[in-house]
């Protein structure tokens, strides 16, 4: 992992809707840390520091260190509530992790080779059916993202979960549920708009040829 995330926090004793509203007015975010067989802990985070971290895609697939006084909690984010119309974070849930226990995390997919894929070069439309994938791994093996190479895809072809080449130590959760869960990840299909244009051009050309033929016949008859 190339990026480390740390957040300063304080324990939140005053709970309830009124206390939560006051925290938000003070530019703070209420949150909860739970898991690992320990009691949940309500905490408060500084909004701006937290918001800045969430702007980095890697934050959502990384182990985050939350500093509560002298105590450090290793966590991953499990849920994030945003304001429906403002650039504001409203609440967050974090789950504790153990470096010795595997965890399930959604990791972003980065598609490589789109610019050289034969299907794309021929005018095909690249469609990403998935933008992330749930994986199972030890915290120490957790990647920022997973690369999906589509450089050899042609029009009409696709890649599924089972086609993804995973780094060592990673498993795709869905594939452990059977072949029926081997979902399509990306495909390249013919550009339908282009096909319609070609068909219309062909029809127009055929009509023009037919019209020319009729005119020639009429000229022949008049002679």
């Amino acid at each position: 992992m190339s990026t480390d995330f740390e957040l300063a926090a304080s324990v939140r004793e005053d709970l309830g809707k009124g206390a939560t509203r006051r925290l938000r007015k003070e530019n703070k975010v209420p949150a909860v840390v739970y898991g690992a067989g320990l009691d949940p802990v309500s905490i408060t985070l500084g909004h701006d520091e937290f918001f800045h971290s969430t702007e980095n895609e890697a934050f959502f697939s990384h182990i985050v260190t939350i500093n509560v006084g002298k105590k450090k909690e290793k966590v991953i984010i499990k849920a994030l509530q945003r304001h429906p119309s403002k650039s504001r974070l409203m609440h967050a849930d974090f789950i504790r992790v153990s470096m010795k226990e595997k965890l399930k995390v959604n990791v972003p997919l980065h598609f490589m080779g789109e610019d050289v894929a034969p299907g794309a070069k021929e005018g095909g439309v690249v469609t990403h059916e998935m933008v992330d994938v749930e994986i199972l791994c030890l915290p120490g093996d957790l990647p920022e993202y997973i690369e999906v190479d589509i450089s050899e895809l042609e029009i009409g072809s696709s890649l599924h979960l089972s086609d993804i080449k995973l780094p060592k130590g990673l498993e795709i959760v869905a594939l452990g549920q059977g072949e029926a869960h081997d979902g399509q990840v990306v495909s390249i299909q013919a550009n339908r708009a282009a096909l319609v244009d070609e068909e219309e051009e062909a029809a127009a050309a055929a009509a023009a040829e037919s019209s020319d033929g009729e005119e020639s016949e009429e000229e022949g008859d008049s002679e």
Side-chain angles (χ1 to χ4, degrees):
M1 295 180 293
S2 59
T3 307
D4 294 323
F5 294 96
E6 289 197 25
L7 296 172
S10 58
V11 175
R12 182 162 51 100
E13 302 289 354
D14 191 6
L15 306 178
K17 292 183 178 180
T20 298
R21 284 194 293 268
R22 287 193 295 273
L23 283 175
R24 290 173 180 150
K25 288 181 179 179
E26 295 171 3
N27 204 36
K28 297 178 181 179
V29 182
V32 177
V33 176
Y34 62 94
L38 301 175
D39 291 336
V41 176
S42 296
I43 62 172
T44 300
L45 301 167
H47 180 275
D48 293 346
E49 179 191 23
F50 186 23
F51 185 86
H52 179 69
S53 295
T54 63
E55 291 182 309
N56 190 329
E57 177 190 55
F59 179 82
F60 296 92
S61 58
H62 264 63
I63 297 172
V64 178
T65 301
I66 294 182
N67 299 315
V68 185
K70 295 182 179 179
K71 186 176 182 180
K72 294 180 180 289
E73 294 267 26
K74 296 291 186 182
V75 302
I76 57 173
I77 189 164
K78 292 300 290 182
L80 179 63
Q81 180 184 351
R82 300 177 186 268
H83 192 280
S85 60
K86 300 178 181 178
S87 296
R88 299 287 302 173
L89 304 180
M90 305 297 287
H91 190 276
D93 289 351
F94 296 93
I95 186 168
R96 299 182 183 96
V97 299
S98 166
M99 299 306 289
K100 297 180 180 180
E101 296 181 5
K102 290 186 175 182
L103 50 86
K104 293 179 181 180
V105 183
N106 280 73
V107 175
L109 297 175
H110 283 193
F111 296 90
M112 317 298 291
E114 186 169 326
D115 56 332
V116 297
K121 282 187 172 183
E122 293 171 10
V125 177
V126 179
T127 302
H128 302 153
E129 276 84 7
M130 299 183 189
V131 295
D132 59 24
V133 63
E134 187 179 32
I135 63 167
L136 178 68
C137 69
L138 288 170
D141 294 328
L142 189 60
E144 286 188 23
Y145 56 84
I146 295 173
E147 291 187 354
V148 180
D149 183 5
I150 67 170
S151 61
E152 297 183 4
L153 280 188
E154 300 182 355
I155 290 178
S157 59
S158 62
L159 292 178
H160 289 70
L161 289 173
S162 58
D163 297 314
I164 297 177
K165 295 180 180 179
L166 295 174
K168 185 178 179 181
L170 273 60
E171 304 171 46
I172 294 178
V173 174
L175 293 181
Q177 301 171 357
E179 293 183 4
H181 297 272
D182 187 12
Q184 185 168 287
V185 176
V186 59
S187 65
I188 300 183
Q189 303 298 332
N191 188 329
R192 296 191 178 279
L195 288 176
V196 170
D197 289 342
E198 290 178 3
E199 290 173 357
E200 289 179 348
E201 289 177 3
E209 289 180 4
S210 175
S211 176
D212 291 342
E214 291 177 357
E215 289 179 359
S216 298
E217 289 180 5
E218 289 176 359
E219 290 177 357
D221 291 342
S222 63
E223 291 176 359

